[in-house]
Every structure is written in C-alpha cells, then in structure tokens.
Amino acid sequence: MIMYRAKVEKVSGTKVRAGGKWLTCIGNRNVKVGDLIWTDGRCVYGYEQTPQQPFVITSDDCGIPIIIDRNFYTYKNYLKDEGVSSDEQFYCFSNDKRGNLYVSTDKKILASNVKDGNFYYLIEDGDNINIVKNDAVIKFVENSAKTKVNEKTSQEFPSVSGKSTTMYYKYAKVNFADTPVNMEDEQGNAIPFLSFEWMKLRYTNYATGYTVTSTPINEQVSDRIEDTQTIYYDWAFIEDEKNWAIVVTNICEINRGYITGVIETIDVSNVLMGEFMIIRRPLADEYRGTVAQTYYISSSGENLIFDYLKKSSWCTGYSGYEEGSWNQYIAGWLGLNYSQNVPQTFDDSPADYNIEPFLKQQFPIHDGFFFTVNSVTVSEQSNGFKIIGLLGKINITIFTQKNKPFFTGTFYYLPYISVCKTKNQKWLLGVFQRLNKRTTNEVIGKGLYEISGDKLNQISYNKIFNQCLRPMKKYKHWWEKIQSLD
C-alpha cells in the first residue's frame, strides 16, 4: 500500500473529494474542506489519537540507489538489480534525498557528498588536499604528513658525510723460472705448465717473486644515499565545507652508506698471464631505516595518530680469501698475509611505534553516524604503516547519531563505511575498500550487508562505491540522472 497526502476539496457524508477523485472516509475524525489527509487512493484515513487508537504510521515511497561493480541497484526492503550497467570505472558515488546524484571516475577524488543540492569533494592536488564545492576550490589544506615526516627522518637519519677514502689499484707481475712447457702428474699424464693443478703449489719453487709495475688508478669513493618517500591517502570523508576529514600516511625509507675503513685483497683474474692486482678498497657501513607517520587532518585541526620508526645497520665485513680459491694459492706462493679479516656485523632493532592515538580517534560517517577503533593488529615484520594496513585487522564499533553503539565488527584497515536504517527496522551497511578484500570468517570485507540485531547478513560480495546510503523519493531510473564530479 502506497500512502500520499492530498488536500480536501469537497465533503459529502462519508465521501471526500481530494486529489481529483472521490474517496471513502474511514475512522473517527471529522474531515473538512482544506484539510490535508492521508490516502491510498481509495480511502481517507481519518483517525484521532486516543489511548486505544494509535496513529497509522506511513512513510514516503523511497528507494536507495546503489552502485556495485559498475552495475546499478535499488534497495527497497531488498536489493533489486536494475539490469543496467556502465562502462566507466567509478571511484565514489553519493546522492541526497532530493534526487541529486554524483559519481566520480577520477581516483584522485578521495571522498564526496551531496547536501542541500550542493556537491562537495576532497581531491589530491600535489602536496595539498583541496576542498571543492560545486566545482570551486574553497580551501587548500597542507599535507602535514609530508613535511613533518621529512623533518623526523632528518633527525633520526642525519646526512653526515662519511670518511671518503681514495681507492688504489696496484698492478704486479710474477716472474717464473725456466720450466718445461709440459709436465707430468703423478700418473705420468702430460699437463700444461700453468694449469689449475699447478696452482695447488706442487711446483711453487718455480716462482721467484713479484714486482709492482704500476699504480695508475685513483678513484674517490663517495657516500651513497638512496632515500624514497611514499604518501598514501588511507581514508577520507566530507559532509560539507565545515565538516571533513582525511587520514594520510607518509613513509620515508632511507638506505645510506658511509666509508669507515680500508681492506686489502688480491685479484687474480690475469694470473695465467703472470699478472695479479693488490687492491686497497673501502670497508663500508650501511644504514637503513623507515619513518612512517599517519595524520588525521580535519576541519578542526590535525592529530598524529600513528608514529613508526625502524632502524637497521650493518658493516660489510671481509673474511679474507676462501679456502681453495686462486687468491689463496697466489697469497701462499707470494708469502702475503693477503687481507684484513673483518667479520660482518648486523644490528636490526625492533620497530618502535605508537598506536594509542589511533585508538582514541573518532571517525565520522555521513548523516551523523561515526565509528571508533577498539583494536588494531600490527605485524612486527611490517615495513611502514601502509603494509601494516594490508596485513592488519581493525576492530571498530559503529554509533548512531545519538551516540548509541549498534554494531561491532572486525574489518580490514580503515574501511569507507556507509550506514542507513531501513523501513523494515534493519540497518543497511555498505563497506567500500581500496584494498578490495573479500569477507572471511573473521574479517568483514567489501560489499553490502543487512544488520538485524546482532546478526550480519551479506547481500552483495562485490565492490560498492556508495559513500553514503540515503533513500530518495525520485528513485525510478535514477541512473539516468547521474552527474559527474570530474
């Protein structure tokens, strides 16, 4: 039964003319010309409020437009596939109750909303985040994560010059005594004089010494600095120009080398020609580290909600010549100590992070809803908050506009959530994720759900693009009214 309002034009006994047709009046209320009445097109429901006779509760005919994997659906007590799809890739979709609908195909648009006929969105713009109203940028927001993480990286890993050392290459030649061109092994087999077997020092008496013939190369060794910075927009929300928020993470990874000493080795690549090299080369210390910070930036300010630091360092030591190598043989018949014996050292400190502010942050959802974080699973092997998000799980509680909790569940890191209460006294829950993970027995993934009491029923397993779930009156063929934010 569909109810609507109509104005009374005439009254004749129990017959009432309203909305251009004669209706039958039922109930205990006297109806007069000019009254606004409720009707289903046949009867006038004219009940007075008494303790024994409550109001007849009616509602407008509304539907909730939903985009799932480029396909269009309408929710009215159940999810209806409209049999219509789009060829474009969507990133976010929003509507208001009046029938205004906006969709974005630009992945730089992080969040959107339609309110009172105006559309709003947040968009990446280089180092800034822009707040846009009706295609006009009304505010530039500085990305605090970029500047402040860079400052911390400089403090934790200062760019100190290493001890640059000149590298020398010394070329030398070995002089041999006169020997037969071919010799015999213990079985009497003929072998070349300068063969591998000979290098095992069976005939070391033929080596009479070596002389340095030249030192032609000087090479300056400099510090090695390989720093990278990656910014991730993890989550975003906008209601209007006065109510918006974004979560942004910056990960700085450094890889640097400093020269701390010199070791001496032998290169025997030309030994069959009677030549070898003594090389003086640097002993380097390597430093690696990660600084990651996550900021909650909103219309009321900014909060550092996650701070992460990881340091590793090691020394590229040298263990001398390997047993059985040509270097060992050459060193043996030349009487050389061959090289310093420097063991490799390694220091991998555990990650240091603070997640407490993240657990205290309140994250808004459209139309007055919000959620808080109860716990986050963090992996010690994670290299930065982005990967923590991929590996971790987040347990959250969703609250109504009146600050009453109505659902608690475990999700993948910081989902985009949309919520609406339906006519059948259920909650409709949309989960939009950039990670695009599916629901498991433990974690709630992408899709559309009905919540009834403490029970969660998934009615779509595919990716939903709604940033809000709002019923609207003008819902028929709603996809034909969509406008683009791009």
Side-chain angles (χ1 to χ4, degrees):
M1 178 176 63
I2 299 175
M3 304 290 293
Y4 62 92
R5 302 295 296 273
K7 190 173 183 178
V8 176
E9 302 164 1
K10 294 181 181 180
V11 178
S12 177
T14 59
K15 296 295 183 180
V16 175
R17 184 170 180 82
K21 63 174 66 175
W22 286 98
L23 311 169
T24 300
C25 185
I26 63 175
N28 62 352
R29 177 183 174 185
N30 292 323
V31 178
K32 61 182 182 298
V33 174
D35 284 351
L36 284 173
I37 51 89
W38 285 104
T39 179
D40 61 357
R42 294 180 300 170
C43 299
V44 175
Y45 294 84
Y47 286 94
E48 295 285 358
Q49 183 179 17
T50 65
Q52 294 79 24
Q53 293 178 314
F55 278 123
V56 174
I57 301 174
T58 61
S59 61
D60 293 324
D61 180 29
C62 296
I64 303 175
I66 300 174
I67 296 180
I68 302 176
D69 275 358
R70 307 186 193 183
N71 298 314
F72 302 128
Y73 295 79
T74 304
Y75 184 90
K76 281 185 61 183
N77 296 324
Y78 66 93
L79 187 64
K80 177 186 177 183
D81 187 349
E82 298 290 355
V84 182
S85 62
S86 172
D87 294 330
E88 293 188 276
Q89 174 65 57
F90 300 126
Y91 289 97
C92 55
F93 167 68
S94 57
N95 70 281
D96 62 9
K97 295 180 180 180
R98 299 180 181 181
N100 298 300
L101 308 100
Y102 288 90
V103 70
S104 168
T105 58
D106 184 354
K107 64 180 179 181
K108 290 186 177 181
I109 294 181
L110 306 172
S112 67
N113 187 43
V114 184
K115 184 177 180 180
D116 299 328
N118 299 309
F119 63 90
Y120 304 86
Y121 61 87
L122 295 175
I123 187 170
E124 300 176 45
D125 182 23
D127 294 338
N128 298 321
I129 303 154
N130 294 346
I131 300 172
V132 182
K133 177 182 179 181
N134 298 333
D135 288 329
V137 177
I138 58 176
K139 188 176 182 61
F140 295 92
V141 182
E142 181 183 0
N143 184 353
S144 304
K146 181 173 183 179
T147 55
K148 295 187 177 181
V149 171
N150 290 349
E151 292 173 0
K152 181 173 182 179
T153 302
S154 299
Q155 295 171 359
E156 296 290 344
F157 304 96
S159 299
V160 180
S161 297
K163 300 177 181 179
S164 299
T165 305
T166 301
M167 183 182 297
Y168 298 98
Y169 294 85
K170 293 186 178 180
Y171 292 88
K173 289 189 175 183
V174 180
N175 299 321
F176 298 100
D178 293 334
T179 56
V181 175
N182 291 299
M183 302 187 68
E184 294 181 354
D185 60 16
E186 295 177 355
Q187 286 74 36
N189 299 317
I191 55 174
F193 174 65
L194 293 178
S195 69
F196 180 75
E197 290 297 321
W198 181 86
M199 302 304 294
K200 291 184 177 178
L201 307 183
R202 291 174 60 194
Y203 303 102
T204 54
N205 58 311
Y206 291 105
T208 60
Y210 67 95
T211 58
V212 176
T213 58
S214 61
T215 57
I217 300 177
N218 294 331
E219 180 180 338
Q220 191 72 21
V221 179
S222 61
D223 299 338
R224 178 171 58 84
I225 300 177
E226 297 175 0
D227 295 356
T228 60
Q229 174 181 258
T230 310
I231 294 177
Y232 299 98
Y233 295 93
D234 302 300
W235 173 92
F237 161 86
I238 187 168
E239 189 80 21
D240 52 38
E241 67 267 40
K242 297 180 180 180
N243 187 6
W244 51 267
I246 189 168
V247 173
V248 57
T249 297
N250 186 5
I251 301 176
C252 285
E253 296 180 284
I254 66 102
N255 186 354
R256 299 175 181 174
Y258 302 99
I259 308 306
T260 59
V262 175
I263 59 177
E264 188 173 90
T265 61
I266 296 177
D267 182 351
V268 296
S269 57
N270 293 322
V271 72
L272 293 181
M273 295 165 46
E275 298 179 355
F276 69 94
M277 290 189 295
I278 298 176
I279 305 173
R280 291 175 60 84
R281 66 182 184 182
L283 178 66
D285 285 338
E286 302 285 336
Y287 299 91
R288 288 184 182 177
T290 301
V291 174
Q293 287 187 334
T294 300
Y295 281 85
Y296 179 91
I297 307 171
S298 69
S299 50
S300 59
E302 64 180 43
N303 297 323
L304 175 61
I305 61 175
F306 184 82
D307 198 5
Y308 178 97
L309 175 64
K310 172 72 173 174
K311 290 183 177 181
S312 299
S313 63
W314 66 94
C315 169
T316 55
Y318 193 85
S319 60
Y321 48 80
E322 296 180 2
E323 189 70 25
S325 68
W326 281 22
N327 296 19
Q328 179 190 24
Y329 308 146
I330 294 292
W333 33 270
L334 296 181
L336 299 177
N337 292 327
Y338 181 49
S339 74
Q340 299 180 35
N341 192 6
V342 182
Q344 185 180 43
T345 60
F346 186 76
D347 179 20
D348 186 17
S349 59
D352 179 20
Y353 59 86
N354 179 18
I355 204 167
E356 288 303 317
F358 186 68
L359 302 179
K360 298 176 182 178
Q361 184 63 54
Q362 180 174 299
F363 297 89
I365 304 173
H366 288 106
D367 304 323
F369 297 91
F370 66 93
F371 70 87
T372 57
V373 181
N374 305 313
S375 64
V376 176
T377 303
V378 180
S379 171
E380 285 291 343
Q381 280 86 33
S382 299
N383 188 12
F385 200 31
K386 168 68 172 166
I387 303 179
I388 290 174
L390 290 174
L391 298 180
K393 303 170 186 177
I394 177 171
N395 183 268
I396 70 174
T397 297
I398 304 175
F399 292 79
T400 67
Q401 302 97 323
K402 297 181 179 181
N403 295 349
K404 292 184 178 181
F406 72 92
F407 181 76
T408 297
T410 300
F411 296 76
Y412 296 102
Y413 170 66
L414 274 185
Y416 286 65
I417 289 177
S418 50
V419 180
C420 180
K421 196 167 186 178
T422 65
K423 297 178 185 177
N424 52 11
Q425 300 304 305
K426 295 180 181 180
W427 292 97
L428 194 62
L429 171 67
V431 181
F432 168 81
Q433 293 178 325
R434 295 181 183 272
L435 300 181
N436 204 28
K437 287 179 172 282
R438 285 186 171 271
T439 297
T440 67
N441 292 332
E442 299 178 351
V443 188
I444 300 171
K446 63 180 181 178
L448 189 66
Y449 304 80
E450 288 178 328
I451 302 174
S452 179
D454 58 353
K455 294 183 179 179
L456 184 71
N457 176 38
Q458 187 165 12
I459 57 178
S460 175
Y461 293 84
N462 295 321
K463 192 171 184 178
I464 179 173
F465 292 94
N466 286 59
Q467 298 246 311
C468 59
L469 291 169
R470 290 196 187 112
M472 64 183 197
K473 296 179 181 179
K474 302 176 183 179
Y475 69 88
K476 294 183 179 180
H477 299 281
W478 58 264
W479 51 91
E480 296 176 355
K481 309 169 189 175
I482 293 179
Q483 301 180 60
S484 176
L485 295 174
D486 309 328

